[in-house]
């Protein structure tokens, strides 16, 4: 895990500007902070010596006003950077998943966790940790540089003690690493227990096992408390040790300055500056450590996203929008073999299929890989061997995706067709009357907070959407599975009609489609054969 | 759970606050005494007279990390103790509300939300009480000290504290106002992320990639607006505090009279406002924790203040007490039901579930399929009509007894982070390995379980072995089989599975439950031919049409 991986900026160019501005504001803030120390020292000297306050007051006020402005900007820019970095990384991640064939996408649960909670953790990382990192890199350098100029002896003390901070941190870390790792493993399982029991609560209630968990939760929570406190004590102790180290270093500066002042070898101005500047060299470094602790989740998520988006797809991805032959009118599979990732045996073995304009119907026993074949033709999967050559395709799956929203949203998905076209499409699948009878017609919401569609209605909405698409190839998986005889005939006629101008490949187990097909392909374990 | 402020000081948080106050005060004192020391030294006194100040500087330098350490240990321990206590009480309060009052979809998300909300509320006890108290202690000490030397400067420091308090109030208002909007915007981006992660294939199939990215852009745009609005408030407060520090420092410099208090004290008085401003500015951040906790607490209260959907009867009727040899005879007569008490989600329905009968329930979304199962699982009461088991109204019988006849398999069975055997055994504690293996075999997981590296002792769930959708569903079925309950309710067990897996799973499920009563809610037509009757809730009036 790195504090900041510059690949973020290469992968997510939208994050460059806010991050650059963040760094610039951070540098300016550092400079203003150092300036404030000078003005404050001058002010104290003026007060003590009874000199005119005008100059120092003006300087201090001016600098603090500038710092107020920078503080204002820094909050704004940090928030902006937080959103932009998060948004850019999430967009890159989702774009990749939308472009990648199934084999190159992560498991849905893992993917969902990464894109939702994982990426969200990047926001505080960018908004809080990155500014701290900039300050940690800039302010100590400026402070030491100023000290060298003001009082080289104090600078020497700081330069000699400053490296002790990371050294000390590393030593403490090394000494406690094994112990800490052992505890973290135990800790995360204790910490996860409550979430696990909570998520399983419906199951526990269902089997009458919920009540007895109350005691278990109390017990595990207290064990978690004891284990956490052991770990935390160590962490707090090491952070206290670092603070003590910084305090002692500043005290050394103060005492040497004090002694030299009593001998008159330095001026009051110099002495004050030295004790005001010295702490500025230490605290930003300690803050980086503290903020990194809070931002660790975000840094981990950044690493996970980068790992996902920078893996080179082994064979270049071929999406339905960028197929091997975009202007291809047909769809062909040549000696295609396909095995699911992790599966020992291929589901398809040496399948040949040549579909040109017209209606091709594919039948075959359950589990023989008919749906998988359609997904291969659509470019949603990449063959393990052999090749697929197909034009842009629209695939109506068995569980077509309908978004949360109105019926209009569902139909326009992927095409943005006007209402007139939507009505025409609904007419062709025999849903015109049903939709016209809905309270808000095309504007009716679907799903839990709206009207419920039966499986057959969902299938027909998906078919209506398919008629709106302009792809040369149309692939349909079991289009009549949920339909009664009358609707099935309607759908058969519709597919027949669409096949006049497009390549239509339909998987079915029903005879009415086979009867109207131009080509009938039977898929078996051995391969595909064309029936006359 | 409800009523009263979200953040209530306890003994431990007060002690933590006082320790934190000591640490913060030591920090301010360190700056002040250092300034005094330097100025006094420049007057070139005898070194001995400086010794006291040198010791003080060192003492304050060491006291700050020391007290900070104590404060952190005390307050974190208090938070964890509080968390332990609240977790068990919230969990216990949720048990009677589960599942009917957890919403009808994505209950595991609701429950994860409870975990997060609870953490927010508990964190606020420490992240608000302790810094507020520490700041108050340190601020008042600084005011008292400066007022003792120069009352006018004391007033200046008091005014600075007032501005800081005002800043906190402002920050709290900004955070509270933007909180819900931000939360909604974040939830929307998470929803789209989740959607694409799970449905990328379906979206690609219909060429909707650009539409999906468009939704993401919209969600991000809303998030940008919300974050910008929130940051405006925070930025204003950050600037305000620096301006107030400037004003206080300049006022102190003008007001202080070195001839009256001496040069070293004059330096101290000028430096204190700066030190106070720097030490107390982080206080503003605590307001975010407070605002968040208030939102979380309100959500928790809304959830926990609900009435359970079902109650145990006051005078339970033990029922006919027939042995389980033939299973209960469950009947619904004109039964309707509602989750909320408002409109019915299930219109009056008849169902006659004689022991051993397999009934499928079909119908469009929203026709009441899940509601029907909730009635049968005794997690919801009828709002009209009758629900009887062996002729007795279920409401007259003890909840646990009626429920113990029923096993539910839903579309997302939870896999606990424990061994495979324990994951099954929760359905029937004390079941031996042979029984567990038998159940796995019937659910179609026999070969899978045999192939596992540690067999039944293989750890599953978080941190353990992952399961595919089909394996998860089968695990739920195996639990139901092991539980050996006469009635099995299947709520779209195959909803998330691809076609061949779904068919295979449904076949195995129906084989495994051959001698039990089964109610299967399904969207799919595939397995329906294997059932005795189909109840179509979309086709009113509802009554099962027996085939043949």
């Amino acid at each position: 895990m790195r504090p900041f991986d510059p690949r973020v900026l290469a992968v997510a160019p939208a994050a460059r500007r806010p991050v650059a501005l963040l760094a610039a504001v951070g540098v300016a803030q550092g400079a203003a902070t150092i300036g404030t120390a000078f003005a404050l020292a001058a002010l104290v000297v003026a007060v003590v010596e009874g000199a005119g306050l005008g100059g120092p007051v003006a300087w201090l006020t001016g600098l603090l006003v500038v710092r107020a402005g920078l503080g204002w900007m820094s909050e704004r820019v940090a928030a902006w950077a937080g959103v932009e970095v998060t948004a850019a990384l999430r967009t890159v991640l989702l774009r990749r998943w939308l472009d990648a064939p199934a084999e190159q996408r992560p498991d849905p649960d893992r993917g969902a966790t990464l894109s939702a909670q994982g990426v969200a953790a990047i926001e505080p990382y960018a908004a809080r940790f990155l500014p701290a990192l900039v300050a940690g890199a800039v302010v100590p350098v400026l402070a030491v540089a100023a000290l060298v100029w003001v009082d080289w002896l104090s600078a020497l003390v700081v330069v000699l003690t400053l490296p002790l901070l990371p050294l000390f941190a590393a030593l403490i870390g090394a000494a406690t690493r094994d112990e800490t790792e052992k505890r973290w493993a135990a800790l995360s399982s204790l910490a996860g227990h409550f979430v696990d029991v909570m998520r399983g609560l419906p199951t526990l209630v269902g089997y009458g096992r919920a009540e007895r968990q109350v005691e278990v939760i109390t017990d595990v929570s207290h064990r978690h408390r004891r284990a956490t406190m052991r770990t935390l004590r160590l962490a707090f102790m090491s952070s206290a040790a670092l603070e003590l180290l910084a305090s002692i270093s500043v005290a050394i500066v103060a005492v040497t300055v004090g002694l030299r002042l009593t001998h008159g070898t330095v001026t009051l101005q110099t002495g004050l500056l030295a004790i005001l500047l010295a702490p500025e060299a230490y605290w930003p470094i300690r803050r980086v450590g503290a903020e990194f602790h809070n931002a660790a989740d975000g840094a981990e998520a950044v690493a996970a996203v980068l790992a996902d988006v920078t893996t080179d797809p082994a064979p270049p991805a071929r999406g339905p929008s960028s197929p091997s032959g975009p202007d291809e009118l047909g769809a062909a599979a040549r000696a295609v073999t396909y095995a699911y990732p992790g599966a020992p045996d291929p589901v398809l073995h040496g399948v040949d299929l040549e579909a040109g304009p017209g209606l091709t119907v594919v039948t075959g026993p359950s589990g023989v890989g008919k749906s998988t074949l359609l997904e291969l033709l659509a470019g949603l999967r990449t063959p393990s061997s052999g090749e697929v050559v197909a034009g842009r395709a629209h695939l109506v799956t068995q569980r077509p995706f309908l978004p949360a929203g109105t019926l209009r949203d569902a139909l326009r998905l992927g095409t943005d067709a006007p209402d007139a076209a939507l009505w025409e499409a609904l007419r062709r699948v025999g849903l015109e009357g049903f939709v016209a009878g809905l309270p808000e017609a095309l504007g009716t919401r679907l799903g839990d907070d709206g009207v419920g569609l039966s499986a057959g209605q969902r299938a027909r909405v998906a078919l209506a959407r398919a008629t709106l698409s302009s792809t040369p190839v149309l692939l349909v998986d079991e289009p009549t599975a949920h339909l009664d005889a009358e609707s099935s005939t309607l759908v058969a006629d519709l597919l027949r009609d669409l096949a006049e101008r497009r390549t239509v490949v339909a998987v079915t187990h029903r005879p009415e489609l086979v009867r109207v097909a131009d080509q009938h392909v039977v898929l078996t374990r051995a391969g595909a054969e064309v029936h006359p | 759970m409800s009523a009263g402020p979200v953040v209530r000081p306890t003994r431990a948080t007060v002690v933590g606050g006082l320790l934190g106050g000591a640490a913060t005060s030591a920090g301010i004192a360190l700056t002040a005494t250092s300034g005094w020391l330097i100025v006094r030294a420049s007057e070139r006194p005898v070194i001995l007279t400086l010794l006291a100040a040198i010791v003080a500087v060192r003492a304050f330098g060491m006291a700050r990390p020391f007290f900070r350490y104590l404060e952190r240990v005390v307050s974190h321990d208090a938070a964890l103790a509080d968390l332990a206590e609240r977790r068990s009480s919230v969990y216990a309060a949720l048990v009677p509300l589960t599942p009917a009052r957890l919403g009808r979809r994505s209950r595991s998300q609701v429950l994860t939300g409870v975990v997060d909300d609870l953490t927010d509320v508990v964190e606020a006890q420490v992240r608000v009480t302790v810094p507020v108290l520490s700041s108050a202690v340190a601020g008042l000490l600084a005011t008292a000290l400066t007022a003792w030397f120069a009352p006018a400067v004391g007033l200046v420091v008091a005014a600075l504290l007032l501005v800081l308090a005002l800043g906190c109030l402002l920050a709290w208002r900004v955070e509270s106002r933007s909180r819900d909007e931000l939360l909604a915007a974040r939830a929307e981006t998470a929803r789209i992320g989740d959607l694409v992660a799970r449905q990328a294939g379906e979206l690609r199939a219909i060429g909707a990639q650009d539409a999906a990215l468009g939704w993401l852009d919209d969600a991000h745009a809303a998030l940008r607006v919300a974050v910008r609005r929130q940051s405006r408030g925070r930025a204003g407060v950050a600037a305000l505090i620096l301006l107030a520090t400037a004003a206080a420092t300049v006022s102190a410099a003008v007001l202080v009279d070195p001839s009256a208090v001496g040069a070293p004290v004059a330096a101290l008085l000028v430096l204190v406002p700066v030190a106070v401003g720097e030490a107390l500015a982080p206080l503003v951040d605590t307001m975010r924790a407070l605002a968040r906790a208030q939102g979380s607490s309100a959500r928790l209260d809304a959830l926990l203040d609900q009435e359970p959907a079902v109650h145990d009867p006051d005078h339970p009727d033990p029922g006919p007490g027939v042995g389980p040899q033939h299973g209960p005879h469950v009947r619904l007569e004109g039964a309707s039901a509602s989750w909320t008490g408002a409109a019915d989600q299930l219109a009056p329905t008849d169902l006659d579930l004689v022991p051993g009968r397999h009934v499928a329930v079909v119908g469009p979304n929203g026709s009441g399929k899940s509601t029907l199962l909730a009635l049968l699982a005794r997690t919801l009461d009828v709002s009209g009509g009758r629900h009887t088991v062996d002729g007795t109204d279920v409401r007259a019988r003890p909840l646990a007894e009626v429920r113990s006849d029923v096993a539910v398999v839903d579309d997302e069975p939870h896999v606990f982070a424990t061994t495979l055997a324990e994951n099954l055994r929760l359905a029937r504690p004390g079941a031996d390995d042979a029984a567990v293996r038998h159940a796995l075999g019937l659910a179609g997981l026999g070969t899978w379980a045999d192939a596992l590296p540690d067999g039944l002792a293989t750890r599953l769930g978080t941190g353990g072995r992952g399961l595919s959708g089909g394996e998860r569903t089968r695990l739920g079925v195996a639990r139901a089989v092991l539980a050996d309950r006469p009635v099995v309710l299947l709520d779209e067990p195959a909803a998330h599975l691809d076609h061949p897996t779904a068919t295979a799973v449904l076949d195995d499920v129906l084989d495994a439950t051959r001698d039990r009563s089964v109610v299967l809610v399904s969207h799919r037509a595939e397995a329906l031919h294997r059932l005795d009757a189909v109840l179509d809730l979309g086709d009113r009036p509802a009554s099962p049409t027996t085939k043949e």
Side-chain angles (χ1 to χ4, degrees):
Chain A
M1 206 166 33
R2 300 156 73 172
F4 180 71
D5 193 329
R7 282 185 301 164
V8 168
L9 302 181
V11 167
R16 277 181 207 164
R17 256 162 40 101
V19 170
L21 198 54
L22 202 64
V25 173
V27 171
Q29 272 184 309
T33 307
I34 303 300
T36 314
F38 277 88
L40 191 58
L43 181 66
V44 171
V45 170
V47 168
V48 168
E49 290 173 353
L53 296 182
V57 162
W59 271 111
L60 184 70
T61 314
L63 277 164
L64 280 174
V65 169
V66 167
R67 271 181 67 186
L70 287 170
W72 184 84
M73 264 180 85
S74 145
E75 284 284 349
R76 302 277 285 161
V77 174
W80 180 42
V83 177
E84 291 306 330
V85 172
T86 313
L89 286 176
R90 190 184 273 116
T91 307
V92 170
L93 191 66
L94 297 197
R95 189 186 295 278
R96 187 185 121 70
W97 291 344
L98 285 168
D99 286 342
E103 307 83 35
Q104 288 168 22
R105 280 197 300 270
D107 160 79
D109 281 335
R110 201 182 71 74
T113 311
L114 179 60
S115 66
Q117 293 95 326
V119 177
I122 297 175
E123 206 181 318
Y125 162 83
R128 295 192 58 94
F129 173 66
L130 289 187
L133 193 62
V134 172
V138 170
V139 180
V141 174
L142 289 177
V144 170
L147 263 182
V148 169
W149 184 56
V150 169
D151 177 28
W152 67 269
L153 205 60
S154 299
L156 189 66
V157 173
V158 173
V159 167
L160 287 178
T161 53
L162 202 53
L164 291 178
L165 242 66
L167 186 72
F168 225 67
L171 280 176
I172 295 174
T176 56
R177 185 182 301 127
D178 293 347
E179 184 72 350
T180 312
E181 272 170 18
K182 217 184 325 164
R183 280 178 188 166
W184 268 117
L187 254 184
S188 58
S189 90
L190 286 174
H193 175 264
F194 185 60
V195 181
D196 193 40
V197 173
M198 284 289 272
R199 293 180 72 112
L201 183 56
T203 305
L204 293 169
V205 168
Y207 287 109
R209 302 277 164 248
E211 272 88 2
R212 67 193 60 197
Q213 288 292 327
V214 176
E215 272 173 45
V216 179
I217 288 172
T218 313
D219 177 49
V220 172
S221 298
H222 279 291
R223 267 162 50 205
H224 177 234
R225 170 190 175 191
R226 284 191 293 273
T228 311
M229 284 316 295
R230 273 198 297 274
T231 310
L232 282 182
R233 255 189 215 108
L234 204 65
F236 295 159
M237 188 76 90
S238 67
S239 121
L242 292 184
E243 192 180 346
L244 193 64
L245 188 66
S247 283
I248 290 172
S249 307
V250 176
I252 293 174
V253 171
V255 171
T256 56
V257 166
L259 289 178
R260 283 183 291 148
L261 273 170
T262 56
H263 291 104
T265 47
V266 289
T267 63
L268 174 61
Q269 169 98 13
T270 308
L272 273 173
L273 261 177
I275 64 151
L276 288 175
L277 285 174
E280 302 292 346
Y282 298 96
W283 70 260
I285 294 179
R286 290 193 294 116
R287 192 174 141 223
V288 173
E291 290 288 350
F292 185 67
H293 187 68
N294 297 332
D297 286 350
E300 223 162 86
V302 168
V305 171
L306 286 176
D308 195 294
V309 299
T310 52
T311 30
D312 279 323
R318 191 190 63 89
S321 47
S322 60
S324 49
D327 302 322
E328 197 82 30
L329 282 181
R334 296 185 187 126
V336 164
T337 295
Y338 184 79
Y340 279 96
D345 302 316
V347 54
L348 294 171
H349 203 89
V351 171
D352 285 296
L353 180 134
E354 202 76 38
L359 177 60
T360 299
V361 166
V362 180
T363 60
S366 180
V368 78
K370 300 188 295 292
S371 300
T372 311
L373 178 61
L374 286 190
E375 289 176 354
L376 282 160
L377 291 176
L380 300 184
R381 296 182 183 278
T382 318
S384 312
S385 70
E387 70 163 348
V388 168
V389 181
R392 285 190 308 124
H394 182 106
L395 166 63
V396 181
T397 62
Q398 289 196 40
R399 285 180 298 149
F401 174 75
L402 299 184
T406 63
L407 191 55
R408 183 183 285 112
D409 297 336
L411 287 167
R412 280 164 52 97
L413 198 53
T415 61
D416 290 339
D419 275 12
L422 304 187
W423 282 113
E424 168 61 14
L426 287 171
R427 190 189 59 74
R428 296 179 82 179
V429 297
L431 280 179
E432 189 186 24
F434 167 75
V435 173
L438 290 174
E440 290 173 66
L442 286 170
T444 308
R445 294 188 70 81
L446 302 177
D448 285 347
D449 54 345
V451 66
L453 296 180
S454 71
Q457 285 163 339
R458 289 173 70 91
R460 282 190 283 167
V461 167
L463 267 178
R465 184 166 62 194
T467 67
L468 292 164
S469 82
S470 58
T471 58
V473 179
L474 184 58
L475 310 165
V476 223
D477 199 352
E478 300 277 12
T480 56
H482 303 283
L483 303 183
D484 55 24
E486 192 188 337
S487 307
S488 295
T489 317
L490 190 77
V491 166
D493 289 347
L494 171 65
L495 291 179
R496 188 58 263 163
D497 201 29
L498 290 168
E500 294 299 323
R501 272 158 288 121
R502 301 163 79 172
T503 300
V504 179
V505 182
V507 159
T508 188
H509 63 279
R510 305 260 283 248
E512 56 267 65
L513 270 179
V514 179
R515 275 199 294 276
V516 296
D518 296 310
Q519 180 183 224
H520 177 200
V521 176
V522 178
L523 202 58
T524 62
R525 301 258 172 236
E529 48 186 285
V530 178
H531 281 221
Chain B
M1 231 16 240
S2 64
V6 169
V7 174
R8 267 162 299 178
T10 60
R11 208 178 140 253
T13 49
V14 169
V15 172
L18 293 177
L19 287 167
T24 311
S25 306
I28 296 172
L30 181 62
T31 309
T33 47
S34 305
W36 185 90
L37 173 68
I38 297 299
V39 175
R40 182 76 187 98
S42 74
E43 293 173 345
R44 306 181 66 177
V46 185
I47 290 205
L48 272 175
T49 60
L50 288 180
L51 277 182
I54 290 175
V55 169
V57 167
R58 255 192 243 143
F60 288 133
M62 291 194 286
R64 184 171 57 176
F66 174 70
F67 283 118
R68 182 63 63 209
Y69 168 77
L70 288 183
E71 175 264 304
R72 291 170 92 183
V73 168
V74 166
S75 52
H76 281 79
D77 190 49
L80 288 164
D82 191 24
L83 190 64
E85 194 249 320
R86 289 194 199 220
R87 277 184 166 179
S88 42
S89 69
V90 163
Y91 174 87
L94 273 173
V95 170
L97 300 173
T98 306
R101 293 294 179 245
L102 301 185
R104 297 179 51 201
R105 297 272 182 274
S106 43
R107 288 181 180 131
S108 78
Q109 268 178 36
V110 173
L111 291 165
T112 315
V114 170
V115 176
D116 294 342
D117 285 344
L118 200 56
T119 309
D120 283 348
V121 173
V122 169
E123 273 189 356
Q125 309 304 318
V126 170
R127 288 169 64 173
V128 178
T129 313
V130 172
V132 166
L133 200 57
S134 313
S135 302
V137 168
L140 291 177
L141 276 179
T143 312
L145 177 80
T146 44
W148 189 56
F149 287 122
V153 180
L155 273 179
V156 167
V157 176
L160 177 61
L161 290 184
L162 222 73
V163 175
L164 276 164
L166 191 74
C168 284
L169 192 69
L170 230 96
W172 174 74
R173 287 200 50 175
V174 170
E175 296 287 348
S176 307
R177 216 178 306 149
S178 54
R179 178 190 63 209
D180 296 337
E181 184 193 12
L182 248 178
L183 217 60
R186 292 221 165 92
E188 176 65 6
T189 56
R191 186 185 72 82
I192 308 261
D194 188 88
L195 178 83
V196 172
R198 293 182 194 282
Q199 307 265 18
E202 291 292 334
L203 289 164
R204 257 162 71 85
I206 55 171
Q209 296 99 313
D210 289 342
L213 290 172
W215 301 331
L216 186 66
D217 286 345
D218 291 348
H220 282 150
L223 182 63
R224 252 178 222 118
V225 171
V227 167
R228 201 174 296 151
R229 192 164 303 159
Q230 184 201 36
S231 76
R232 202 175 294 150
R234 290 174 63 82
V237 173
L240 172 73
I241 288 174
L242 276 165
L243 292 178
T245 307
T249 308
V250 169
S251 311
V254 171
L255 289 170
V256 78
D257 178 7
S259 58
V261 292
V265 171
L268 179 150
L269 291 174
V270 177
L271 288 174
V272 165
V274 180
V276 169
E278 270 175 12
L280 304 197
L283 186 60
V284 175
D285 278 341
T286 63
M287 293 300 119
R288 175 174 282 192
L290 178 61
R292 263 179 71 155
Q294 285 169 329
S296 302
S297 176
R299 276 194 299 279
L300 280 178
D301 288 348
L303 185 69
L304 297 178
D305 284 349
Q306 298 178 100
E307 270 295 300
V310 284
H311 294 276
D312 259 326
D314 295 332
H315 307 287
D317 175 345
V322 224
Q325 57 268 30
H326 63 81
H329 182 178
V330 180
R331 288 189 68 156
L332 297 179
E333 293 158 84
S336 55
S338 161
W339 294 93
T340 52
D344 281 344
Q345 275 84 38
L346 178 69
T349 302
D350 293 331
L351 175 73
D352 191 8
L353 194 64
V354 295
R357 201 170 190 220
H358 285 196
V359 177
V361 179
V362 297
N365 292 336
S367 60
K369 300 190 297 288
S370 303
T371 315
L372 178 76
L373 282 200
L375 275 186
L376 297 175
R378 195 72 186 90
T379 54
L380 207 56
D381 277 338
V382 289
S383 58
R386 271 165 65 78
H387 174 197
T388 60
V389 173
D390 293 330
T392 315
D393 191 302
V394 290
R395 280 173 294 186
R397 294 188 44 199
L399 262 182
E401 191 184 298
V402 180
R403 285 185 178 175
S404 69
D405 278 346
V406 182
V408 183
V409 181
D410 61 21
D411 58 343
E412 283 184 336
H414 182 71
V415 181
F416 289 91
T418 178
T419 62
L420 170 60
E422 288 308 315
N423 255 298
L424 259 69
R425 232 169 241 147
L426 69 93
R428 200 179 97 205
D432 59 14
D433 280 2
V436 170
R437 266 184 230 287
H438 181 66
L440 284 169
L442 282 177
L445 283 177
T447 27
W448 172 81
D450 290 340
L452 287 177
D454 298 322
L456 292 184
T458 306
R459 290 194 76 84
L460 307 178
T462 316
R465 194 178 188 284
L467 267 66
S468 73
E471 289 159 0
R472 219 152 76 128
T473 305
R474 287 192 153 105
L475 187 78
V477 173
R479 265 182 200 149
V481 171
L482 183 68
D484 198 22
R485 297 180 171 193
V487 180
V488 178
L489 308 178
L490 302 162
D491 192 357
E492 304 221 37
H496 298 308
L497 308 182
D498 61 71
H499 177 71
T501 317
T503 316
V505 168
L506 280 180
D507 267 341
D508 285 340
V509 171
L510 293 175
D511 286 342
T513 54
R514 190 166 288 152
D515 47 357
R516 298 166 213 279
S517 308
V518 171
V519 179
L520 166 70
V521 162
S522 177
H523 241 103
R524 297 168 182 263
E526 293 92 354
L528 296 190
H529 62 274
R530 295 197 45 188
L531 289 122
D532 302 318
V534 177
L535 172 60
D536 187 351
L537 294 180
D539 177 26
R540 295 293 177 174
S543 69
T545 48
T546 307
K547 286 192 293 192
E548 288 155 333

